[in-house]
């Protein structure tokens, strides 16, 4: 009111500009006084209890630490860490591996020369295909006639598991570099771990040991043995899964004893690394099919060593067959892993081999070799992955973080909730309290007035009666 009275009193003697300046200065004074009042109140509150600053700072830092730890707990619950457990298991029965046998040299030189019409030691050379009669002899027939069948590989069909041929089955596959390979798979599980209960295989060769000339052959004549999981199919193409295949070379006229040890691996699928739980799934088969499909598509034709599921016309000209062989050789000799979308199996088994004994084998006139493959113990090395974090541990970690850092208890948590409620709803609560106090005060005044009137009436009545 003072600025307004001042203006009205001096209105004839001041201008409008002076009026605006007077009003502005008064408003700035009010604003300055308001700010000074806020900061003075805050300063007074701080000076009244300086320990509150330390308490609130510590509480703020602890809250930040708790939030970080809770985030880590939730992350571990969503993607728990994996721990590996290793132990030995004594099985009542043990499973034998599959054994794939490939001959070296893999092709019959006489057949190669006869069909190709030129000196040829392996189909990888172009000399085998310069004069090949593509219109007369299919390429599949060429590979069948120039490789060694089951009868030409196993001496007098002397093979078996626990001395019985009925305990095994033999499958044949055609490889380009290794020729025709034969795989022996067990049909029964073993109950004993002895030499007589394992594999007994006798092989025969077409090259006498006395005629072995390393200058004549590209590699030492003999047999390539590949020991792998029975559910896996052998492939000569190198890939990551080939690390699960054990390799042994057997000379001509040699008796060899191979001791087996098996390791079982069990993985757990995670967000970062998926694995296939199907027991019949084969990573080798998946990778081989992917590679051979790409090779066939590049050459636009197929060969007998490619997968049977590749639906393409066989190569029928020198240009097409050389293009196919060139691409396949590039993949075969490459050290790079193929870009195939093949999952790892969740369960896998690796067979390790140890040479127990190697000596000359001279029981037969023909060049041959004797192979024994067996277990000496039923102990199996087990390696399993297990989640190392669960709901119980999550609750324990959360409770430990809150209790250790903030010193929380049930009563302390109730107090914090009360303070939060007062902070958020304090205005409404105070308004309701003032309203309730106002009604209570009014009721008290009404009651007091009624009491006074009753007392007046009683005094008046008593006065009349006294008169």
């Amino acid at each position: 009111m003072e600025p307004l009275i001042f203006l009205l009193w001096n209105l004839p003697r001041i201008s409008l500009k002076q009026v605006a300046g007077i009003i502005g200065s008064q408003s700035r004074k009010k604003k300055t006084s308001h700010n000074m009042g806020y900061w003075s109140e805050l300063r007074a509150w701080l000076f009244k209890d300086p320990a509150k600053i330390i308490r609130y700072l510590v509480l703020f830092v602890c809250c930040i630490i708790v939030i970080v730890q809770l985030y880590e707990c939730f992350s571990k619950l969503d993607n728990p860490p994996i721990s590996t457990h290793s132990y030995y298991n004594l099985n009542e029965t043990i499973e034998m591996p599959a054994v794939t046998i490939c001959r070296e040299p893999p092709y019959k030189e006489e057949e190669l020369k006869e069909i190709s019409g030129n000196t040829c030691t392996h189909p990888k050379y172009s000399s085998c295909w310069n004069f090949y009669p593509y219109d007369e002899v299919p390429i599949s027939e060429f590979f069948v006639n120039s490789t060694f069948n089951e009868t030409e590989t196993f001496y007098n069909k002397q093979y078996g598991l626990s001395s019985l041929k009925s305990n095994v089955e033999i499958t044949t596959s055609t490889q380009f570099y290794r020729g025709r390979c034969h795989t022996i798979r067990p049909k029964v599980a073993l109950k004993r771990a002895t030499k007589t209960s394992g594999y007994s295989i006798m092989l025969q060769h077409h090259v006498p040991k006395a005629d072995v000339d390393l200058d004549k052959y590209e590699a030492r004549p003999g047999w390539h043995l590949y020991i792998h999981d029975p559910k896996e199919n052998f492939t000569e193409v190198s890939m990551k899964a080939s690390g699960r295949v054990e390799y042994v070379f057997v000379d001509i006229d040699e008796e060899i004893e191979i001791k087996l040890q098996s390791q079982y691996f069990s993985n757990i699928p995670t967000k970062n690394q998926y694995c296939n739980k199907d027991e019949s799934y084969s990573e080798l088969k998946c990778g081989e099919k992917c590679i051979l499909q790409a090779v066939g598509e590049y050459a636009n034709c197929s060969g007998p060593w490619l997968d049977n599921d590749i639906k393409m016309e066989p190569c029928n000209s020198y240009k097409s067959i050389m293009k196919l062989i060139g691409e396949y050789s590039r993949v075969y000799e490459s050290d790079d892993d193929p870009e195939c979308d093949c999952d790892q199996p969740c369960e896998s088994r690796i067979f390790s081999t140890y040479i127990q004994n190697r000596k000359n084998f001279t029981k037969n006139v023909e060049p041959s070799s004797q192979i024994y493959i067996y277990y000496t113990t039923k102990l199996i090395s087990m390696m399993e992955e297990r989640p190392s974090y669960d709901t119980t541990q999550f609750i324990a970690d959360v409770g430990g973080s809150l209790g250790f850092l903030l010193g929380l208890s049930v009563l302390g948590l109730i107090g914090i909730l009360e303070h939060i409620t007062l902070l958020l709803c304090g205005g409404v609560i105070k308004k309701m309290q003032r309203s309730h106090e106002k009604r209570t005060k009014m009721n008290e005044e009404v009651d007091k007035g009624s009491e006074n009137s009753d007392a007046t009436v009683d005094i008046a009545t008593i006065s009349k009666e006294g008169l």
Side-chain angles (χ1 to χ4, degrees):
M1 291 297 293
E2 292 180 0
L4 183 59
I5 296 173
F6 177 80
L7 290 175
L8 293 175
W9 182 261
N10 299 285
L11 186 61
R13 288 175 283 180
I14 61 176
S15 61
L16 294 177
K17 186 176 181 180
Q18 291 174 330
V19 172
I22 293 171
I23 296 175
S25 62
Q26 293 296 325
S27 62
R28 284 193 297 271
K29 288 181 180 179
K30 288 185 177 181
K31 185 175 182 180
T32 304
S33 62
H34 175 73
N35 292 336
M36 291 298 293
Y38 171 77
W39 289 110
S40 61
E41 291 179 1
L42 178 61
R43 187 168 56 254
W45 179 78
L46 294 176
F47 285 136
K48 183 179 180 180
D49 191 1
K52 289 184 178 180
I53 301 177
I54 299 175
R55 288 198 295 267
Y56 283 115
L57 287 177
V58 172
L59 180 62
F60 177 75
V61 173
C62 290
C63 289
I64 297 299
I65 296 174
V66 168
I67 291 173
V68 172
Q69 290 196 346
L70 290 179
Y71 174 77
E72 294 179 355
C73 293
F74 279 103
S75 300
K76 288 191 290 185
L77 186 64
D78 181 59
N79 189 17
I82 303 300
S83 60
T84 302
H85 297 262
S86 178
Y87 61 95
Y88 286 96
N89 186 23
L90 182 61
N91 287 351
E92 294 183 1
T93 59
I94 51 179
E95 182 181 6
M96 291 293 291
V99 181
T100 299
I101 302 169
C102 303
R103 183 189 293 256
E104 181 64 45
Y107 292 93
K108 302 175 183 178
E109 296 180 4
E110 295 77 9
E111 294 291 337
L112 293 178
K113 293 179 181 179
E114 182 179 351
I115 298 177
S116 63
N118 197 353
T119 302
C120 177
T121 57
H122 198 281
K124 64 182 179 181
Y125 299 111
S126 59
S127 58
C128 292
W129 307 100
N130 287 328
F131 306 101
Y132 185 84
Y134 296 96
D135 297 333
E136 299 177 6
V137 181
I139 296 179
S140 58
E141 184 177 342
F142 164 74
F143 276 86
V144 169
N145 295 332
S146 60
T147 55
F148 298 89
N149 57 28
E150 180 181 333
T151 304
E152 295 170 321
T153 300
F154 299 97
Y155 180 83
N156 199 21
K157 295 185 178 181
Q158 293 188 20
Y159 58 85
L161 180 62
S162 294
S163 303
L164 296 175
K165 286 191 286 187
S166 58
N167 290 337
V168 299
E169 61 177 358
I170 297 179
T171 57
T172 302
S173 62
T174 302
Q175 310 291 329
F176 181 73
Y177 283 92
R178 291 287 181 252
R180 202 186 312 189
C181 298
H182 307 279
T183 301
I184 302 177
R185 285 185 172 87
K187 297 171 65 175
V188 296
L190 298 181
K191 296 182 179 180
R192 296 185 301 165
T194 60
K195 179 179 177 180
T196 57
S197 61
Y199 283 123
S200 176
I201 305 170
M202 184 177 290
L203 304 174
Q204 62 181 354
H205 211 284
H206 66 287
V207 179
K209 188 174 183 179
D211 296 340
V212 173
D213 186 2
L214 298 181
D215 296 332
K216 180 181 178 181
Y217 299 99
E218 295 183 357
R220 186 184 185 88
W223 290 272
H224 302 280
L225 262 64
Y226 300 93
I227 300 174
H228 52 89
D229 196 308
K231 70 178 182 181
E232 302 282 3
N233 293 331
F234 170 75
T235 177
E236 64 182 3
V237 180
S238 177
M239 59 187 73
K240 288 182 179 179
S242 299
R244 302 189 184 100
V245 179
E246 191 78 351
Y247 171 76
V248 177
F249 183 80
V250 181
D251 281 318
I252 300 172
D253 293 338
E254 180 183 29
E255 180 179 336
I256 183 171
E257 296 182 15
I258 302 174
K259 184 184 74 171
L260 292 174
Q261 285 187 355
S262 60
Q263 292 179 310
Y264 176 81
F265 296 88
S266 177
N267 300 325
I268 296 177
T270 61
K271 287 187 175 182
N272 300 327
Q273 186 174 4
Y274 174 78
C275 64
N276 197 314
K277 294 184 178 181
D278 188 2
E279 295 182 358
S280 61
Y281 172 75
S282 172
E283 186 182 3
L284 278 173
K285 183 65 177 177
C286 175
E288 181 190 29
K289 184 177 180 180
C290 169
I291 294 172
L292 298 184
Q293 180 71 34
V295 171
E297 291 177 354
Y298 177 83
N300 200 24
C301 62
S302 65
W305 66 93
L306 298 187
D307 196 282
N308 295 327
D309 296 334
I310 300 176
K311 305 300 180 182
M312 291 184 180
E313 294 295 328
C315 299
N316 54 8
S317 64
Y318 175 80
K319 183 178 180 181
S320 61
I321 190 65
M322 291 308 299
K323 187 176 182 180
L324 179 66
I325 293 175
E327 179 64 14
Y328 183 83
S329 300
R330 185 192 68 79
V331 174
Y332 177 81
E333 297 173 358
S334 176
D335 294 331
D336 298 332
D337 293 321
E339 296 181 358
C340 298
D341 189 16
C342 293
D343 302 324
Q344 292 186 359
C346 291
E347 297 181 357
S348 59
R349 180 172 294 178
I350 296 178
F351 296 89
S352 303
T353 60
Y354 299 89
I355 307 301
Q356 290 283 87
N357 187 19
R358 303 185 86 145
K359 62 182 180 180
N360 293 331
F361 184 71
T362 57
K363 292 185 180 180
N364 296 278
V365 178
E366 297 181 11
S368 58
S369 296
Q370 177 67 47
I371 302 172
Y372 296 101
I373 304 174
Y374 56 91
Y375 285 99
T376 58
T377 179
K378 290 185 178 181
L379 286 176
I380 297 177
S381 177
M382 311 286 291
M383 298 188 68
E384 296 182 354
E385 288 185 347
R386 300 175 185 174
S388 58
Y389 200 79
D390 54 8
T391 307
T392 303
Q393 193 167 358
F394 168 76
I395 296 174
D397 288 347
V398 171
S401 299
L402 295 177
F404 178 73
L405 294 175
L406 298 180
L408 288 180
S409 62
V410 176
L411 298 178
L413 183 61
I414 293 174
I416 291 176
L417 293 177
E418 289 179 352
H419 286 294
I420 293 175
T421 304
L422 292 176
L423 180 63
L424 298 177
C425 307
V428 178
I429 294 174
K430 288 182 178 179
K431 186 176 180 180
M432 294 175 62
Q433 289 177 350
R434 285 195 296 266
S435 178
H436 177 70
E437 291 176 358
K438 187 176 181 180
R439 286 197 302 269
T440 304
K441 188 174 181 180
M442 292 176 61
N443 293 333
E444 290 178 354
E445 291 178 354
V446 171
D447 293 339
K448 188 175 180 180
S450 61
E451 289 178 358
N452 292 334
S453 61
D454 291 341
T456 305
V457 172
D458 292 340
I459 292 172
T461 304
I462 292 170
S463 300
K464 289 181 180 180
E465 291 178 353
L467 294 173

